[in-house]
Amino acid sequence: MNNIWVCKQDGTIQCEAAREITLEEMRRELAELIGDSNIIQMEKQSHIVAAVCGAPTGNMNAYEITEDGWHFLNDGIRGRQGFEPCDGESIPNTQPVQIQELVGRPLRVYKTGDPITADSIPNRVNIITDDQRVIVSIWFG
């Protein structure tokens, strides 16, 4: 794996005058997680989002980080803290590290033996329970 770009929303909200988190401010936050030497460069990026007042804008702070930096970020005790691979990046082993990182993902819950569709959605969380509603398995797909 080579260097990777990670992005984090810059705090701006549609239809509101929310304060933007600058590239440099967020760089310091990222450096606390992975070390300053693992950050190669930074830039502003913008992603297309639906126009909805109160929702985040598509403005992102983006950072090119080293492979070691990615491992620190992905496997560190504090988790990724909102830093995710930028759109279009394909990174192995990017499953959540902390339960909190499951928020916002598609979910399917079913009991052992229930019929389910054969579709696979890579970031969907599947929770299988027994008859007493005790979790017996959790998987992605």
Side-chain angles (χ1 to χ4, degrees):
M1 180 168 105
N2 297 318
N3 297 338
I4 177 173
W5 281 89
V6 294
C7 291
K8 186 173 180 179
Q9 206 273 336
D10 72 359
T12 54
I13 303 295
Q14 295 180 52
C15 307
E16 294 182 14
R19 182 181 152 319
E20 173 186 343
I21 302 168
T22 67
L23 276 167
E24 193 55 48
E25 287 175 296
M26 197 174 287
R27 185 184 200 287
R28 286 191 295 271
E29 177 186 347
L30 181 59
E32 288 179 13
L33 297 171
I34 68 170
D36 194 56
S37 64
N38 287 307
I39 303 171
I40 298 166
Q41 63 179 322
M42 59 187 180
E43 67 182 35
K44 292 296 283 187
Q45 290 188 5
S46 183
H47 302 270
I48 297 172
V49 296
V52 178
C53 285
T57 66
N59 299 333
M60 310 289 277
N61 291 337
Y63 303 87
E64 183 181 16
I65 62 174
T66 65
E67 183 175 354
D68 285 342
W70 170 252
H71 290 296
F72 288 134
L73 189 62
N74 199 47
D75 301 328
I77 294 172
R78 292 177 53 197
R80 292 192 294 266
Q81 300 291 308
F83 290 96
E84 296 294 335
C86 296
D87 288 347
E89 295 283 351
S90 176
I91 304 300
N93 303 320
T94 58
Q95 298 300 353
V97 176
Q98 298 177 347
I99 291 173
Q100 176 182 340
E101 295 176 39
L102 297 176
V103 173
R105 290 177 178 261
L107 174 66
R108 176 169 58 180
V109 179
Y110 60 96
K111 289 189 317 189
T112 302
D114 283 352
I116 61 170
T117 60
D119 62 330
S120 178
I121 301 172
N123 68 334
R124 177 176 55 199
V125 180
N126 293 273
I127 299 177
I128 306 169
T129 66
D130 63 15
D131 289 335
Q132 288 75 41
R133 305 279 300 161
V134 174
I135 296 172
V136 295
S137 182
I138 299 174
W139 58 282
F140 293 92

